[in-house]
């Protein structure tokens, strides 16, 4: 039985001061949740959030990592830096990073390997555009993204990874995928993992849905057999996030 994992992706929101205030609001509300709870926060919020969530059931995540250990890469943050700061999860290959910051399936793969090397759990994002969905190539596209992302990743490593299926047309648009659409692709991803590795790995890996998840659609989405939780953007920035985390209450 896979444990659900519900992660907030704060994106470029929350100053350090605001980040602590949001933690204080959410801490009591998410306490006792059945699911794993993760806050993926901007780099500058990592240290204050780590302090603010001490002793709670909230885990700390970053939104990006670079694939080199150190050196002349102005503006980047390395896996050993994140590890030292107490980061447990890192979002890799979000569609916004692919679109605005030129991330490719190859850099996603390198970042995935680097995070795993340092014992940080990757939340690897994949997803199709509206055009690709209309062209009927959604599953082909996502299988390609997954196959490249997992190059040189062992089965034991893959079991620890979290995959987030986020249709680009559903992100920040209020246009959530139907439960059938979300389940179809998450099931397709699990099948792809079984092909790359084996059934045991496919049954262990956790697959989230992301894209306009909110307090009213979370329960139905997370009840699907292949959806193991959510990656939540806009709705993770307010008290209501606790209703998503406690979707089954
Ligand atoms: P959204 O974002 O919940 O605001 O649609 C999800 C994401 O991009 O992770």
């Amino acid at each position: 039985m896979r444990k659900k994992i519900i992660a907030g992706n704060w994106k470029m929101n929350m100053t350090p001061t605001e980040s602590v205030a949001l933690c204080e609001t959410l801490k009591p509300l998410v306490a006792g949740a059945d699911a794993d709870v993760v806050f993926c926060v901007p780099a500058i919020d990592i240290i204050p959030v780590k302090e603010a969530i001490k002793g709670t059931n909230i885990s700390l995540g970053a939104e990006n990592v670079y694939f080199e250990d150190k050196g002349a890469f102005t503006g980047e943050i390395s896996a050993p830096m994140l590890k030292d700061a107490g980061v447990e999860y890192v979002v890799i290959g979000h569609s916004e990073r692919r679109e605005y910051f030129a991330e490719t399936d190859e850099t996603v793969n390198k970042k995935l390997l680097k995070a795993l090397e340092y014992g940080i759990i990757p939340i690897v994002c994949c997803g199709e555009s509206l055009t690709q969905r209309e062209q009927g190539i959604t599953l082909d596209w996502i299988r390609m993204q997954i196959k490249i992302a997992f190059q040189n990743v062992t089965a034991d490593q893959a079991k620890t990874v979290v995959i987030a299926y986020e249709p680009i047309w559903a992100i920040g648009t209020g246009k959530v995928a139907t439960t059938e659409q979300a389940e179809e692709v998450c099931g397709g991803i699990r099948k792809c993992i079984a092909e790359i590795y084996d059934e045991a790995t496919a049954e262990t890996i956790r697959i989230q849905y992301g894209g306009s998840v909110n307090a009213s659609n979370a329960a139905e989405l997370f009840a699907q057999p292949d959806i193991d939780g959510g990656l939540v953007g806009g709705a993770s920035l307010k008290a209501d996030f606790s209703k998503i985390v406690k979707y089954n209450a």
Side-chain angles (χ1 to χ4, degrees), residues 25-236:
T25 302
L26 282 169
K27 261 168 20 179
L29 300 177
V30 304
D34 292 333
D36 285 335
V37 183
V38 187
F39 290 0
C40 298
V41 308
I44 199 163
D45 296 339
I46 286 172
I47 302 286
V49 167
K50 179 74 193 168
E51 187 61 28
I53 62 176
K54 213 177 248 170
T56 72
N57 61 327
I58 302 164
S59 296
L60 179 60
E63 298 179 13
N64 186 27
V65 62
Y66 196 54
F67 52 74
E68 297 289 351
D69 283 337
K70 60 177 177 173
F73 304 102
T74 303
E76 291 298 308
I77 295 183
S78 71
M81 289 171 186
L82 294 181
K83 188 70 186 174
D84 185 67
V87 168
E88 297 159 86
Y89 293 84
V90 61
V91 177
I92 294 176
H94 190 280
S95 63
E96 286 149 18
R97 294 218 54 90
R98 295 177 190 254
E99 180 176 357
Y100 306 129
F101 304 101
E103 295 222 359
T104 63
D105 292 321
E106 285 72 22
T107 60
V108 168
N109 173 239
K110 287 185 184 180
K111 291 178 173 198
L112 185 77
L113 289 166
K114 188 51 76 177
L116 288 167
E117 183 185 329
Y118 282 89
I120 302 169
I121 300 172
I123 300 177
V124 192
C125 303
C126 59
E128 83 287 3
S129 66
L130 188 57
T131 308
Q132 289 165 335
R133 178 157 284 271
E134 286 168 354
Q135 288 167 336
I137 61 164
T138 296
L139 269 174
D140 304 280
W141 178 260
I142 283 162
R143 286 170 57 85
M144 180 195 70
Q145 289 185 317
I146 295 293
K147 284 186 174 180
I148 299 174
F150 282 83
Q151 294 279 316
N152 300 315
V153 175
T154 68
D156 281 344
Q157 287 176 320
K159 287 188 178 93
T160 68
V161 173
V162 177
I163 297 174
Y165 165 55
E166 300 203 307
I168 297 168
W169 47 271
I171 295 176
T173 57
K175 226 172 112 180
V176 65
T178 65
T179 37
E180 292 74 23
Q181 288 172 327
E183 168 60 19
E184 183 193 14
V185 178
C186 290
I189 292 170
R190 202 175 301 286
K191 200 159 152 261
C192 182
I193 293 293
E195 285 167 26
I196 301 171
Y197 301 103
D198 47 56
E199 283 298 332
T201 307
E203 283 307 314
T204 307
I205 201 165
R206 294 189 287 181
I207 305 174
Q208 300 173 314
Y209 167 80
S212 298
V213 173
N214 60 38
S216 34
N217 59 31
E220 191 180 327
L221 286 162
F222 301 167
Q224 301 305 304
D226 286 303
I227 302 180
D228 305 316
L231 183 58
V232 184
S236 71

